[in-house]
Amino acid sequence: MAPKKTASKPTPKLIADSFVAAYYTMFENERHKLHNFYHASSQFLHSYVGVESESVTGKEEIKAVIAKDPVFSKDAVVTVKRDTVDVQAVSEGEIVLLVTGSVSVSEGAETAVMPFVQNFFLEQSSTTTRNASYYVLNDTFRLLGNPKDKVTAKPAKAAVKAAVKVKAPVVEKEAKAATPPPAKPIEVKPAEIKQPVEVKPAESKQPVEVKPAEPKPVEVPKGPMSWAQRAANTSKPAAAPAPTPAPAAEEPKPKPTKADSRGETIATSLYVKGLPDGTTEEAVKTLFSTFGEVKTVTMKDERKFCFVDFA
């Protein structure tokens, strides 16, 4: 005669998974029946942001609290998303669960999505191995969002800030390459410059002659660049232009300079090249006014450069 097989005892993880699936299915669809998970000695505490509740004891008391819940009304459509379920066996027939996730509550066109954390203490009500059953001895639920913050699906309006916007240069790529998303406008805020940059001309008895360099290919910046960085990049000497039979364009002439008390030359005109399309005279004047009083700004849109004259 073969020996009888002994039924294996379910693990705490298996018990927890079965309980969580059954509990939150009823939480979504038949919330008015949730009290059946509890016992006459069960303790129940559900709290929300702005709504602090008191713990109640007993199956009938828990049923009354669930029926009067201010957040999960009978007309609300409730959806629960579980993120984590932590299980720990306390002793024989006792299991502790910690569940985290989010709950969505919809009423009409309004929907509130709020994170939650819930702690269960399960106790075994039957000692039969095959038909073991558990009930909730302790339940502590905390809704971390504010139930009053219900929103409707409307497009958000971006805040507009008063700042100079510089368009990022566009580089053509091969047809096979994926088109990158448009670069965000770079906001140039003169207030971020903590110390004014002192511009000193090289010591020379002769007036400084400034000649514009031929346009060179636009280099794609690795990150957002300020006007000071763009001026620093364009200050490198460019290669000498090749002779061309076309009539020479009018060369920009430097503004008059003046000398200080020691007879040294002081430059009052600044040459800025490589300006992006659409740059306005007012934007340039606003930017460079942080270095001193700007008298005039002379724009050369066709050559993409300008002169900034300081007082």
Side-chain angles (χ1 to χ4, degrees):
M1 182 176 179
K4 294 183 179 180
K5 294 183 179 180
T6 303
S8 60
K9 184 179 297 185
T11 63
K13 180 68 168 59
L14 180 61
I15 296 171
D17 291 342
S18 299
F19 166 76
V20 168
Y23 182 89
Y24 289 108
T25 298
M26 186 172 289
F27 192 101
E28 292 178 340
N29 303 311
E30 298 178 297
R31 184 171 168 78
H32 61 283
K33 296 182 180 180
L34 277 179
H35 64 280
N36 291 318
F37 282 98
Y38 302 88
H39 189 265
S41 59
S42 299
Q43 295 188 14
F44 179 92
L45 175 62
H46 282 208
S47 300
Y48 319 112
V49 173
V51 181
E52 294 298 330
S53 305
E54 294 183 358
S55 178
V56 297
T57 303
K59 188 174 181 179
E60 294 302 319
E61 287 77 4
I62 294 173
K63 180 180 179 180
V65 171
I66 293 175
K68 298 178 182 179
D69 194 296
V71 178
F72 304 102
S73 64
K74 63 179 182 178
D75 297 326
V77 178
V78 180
T79 303
V80 178
K81 178 180 177 295
R82 301 189 303 274
D83 294 332
T84 62
V85 178
D86 297 317
V87 185
Q88 189 177 55
V90 179
S91 62
E92 186 69 23
E94 295 179 340
I95 300 174
V96 173
L97 303 181
L98 180 64
V99 183
T100 64
S102 60
V103 58
S104 173
V105 183
S106 301
E107 291 188 71
E110 295 183 331
T111 300
V113 179
M114 298 157 286
F116 77 90
V117 60
Q118 190 165 13
N119 178 254
F120 296 101
F121 186 95
L122 306 183
E123 188 168 77
Q124 189 173 357
S125 59
S126 173
T127 57
T128 305
T129 303
R130 179 173 296 180
N131 299 319
S133 61
Y134 289 79
Y135 66 91
V136 180
L137 180 61
N138 295 90
D139 176 10
T140 304
F141 176 89
R142 167 67 69 171
L143 195 62
L144 303 179
N146 193 331
K148 297 181 180 180
D149 295 339
K150 295 184 179 180
V151 297
T152 54
K154 294 182 180 180
K157 296 182 179 180
V160 179
K161 297 182 179 180
V164 180
K165 296 183 178 179
V166 180
K167 295 182 179 179
V170 179
V171 179
E172 294 184 358
K173 296 185 178 180
E174 296 180 0
K176 295 181 180 180
T179 304
K184 295 182 179 179
I186 301 174
E187 297 184 357
V188 181
K189 299 181 180 180
E192 293 179 357
I193 301 177
K194 296 181 179 181
Q195 296 182 352
V197 179
E198 183 178 358
V199 180
K200 294 183 179 181
E203 295 184 1
S204 175
K205 296 182 180 180
Q206 300 295 332
V208 179
E209 182 176 2
V210 181
K211 293 184 178 181
E214 288 295 325
K216 60 181 181 179
V218 178
E219 297 179 359
V220 180
K222 296 181 179 180
M225 299 177 64
S226 65
W227 279 102
Q229 290 172 328
R230 289 181 177 275
N233 288 341
T234 56
S235 63
K236 299 178 181 179
T244 175
E250 180 182 356
E251 297 293 337
K253 298 180 181 181
K255 299 295 181 176
T257 59
K258 59 184 179 179
D260 59 9
S261 59
R262 297 177 295 178
E264 296 182 353
T265 302
I266 300 177
T268 60
S269 179
L270 184 64
Y271 167 62
V272 181
K273 67 177 183 177
L275 298 177
D277 294 336
T279 303
T280 63
E281 177 181 328
E282 185 63 26
V284 175
K285 187 174 182 180
T286 301
L287 176 62
F288 285 95
S289 62
T290 60
F291 303 106
E293 181 182 353
V294 177
K295 187 176 181 181
T296 60
V297 175
T298 305
M299 303 291 294
K300 298 292 184 180
D301 295 335
E302 69 281 359
R303 296 291 298 279
K304 296 184 180 181
F305 69 87
C306 70
F307 285 109
V308 179
D309 299 316
F310 292 90

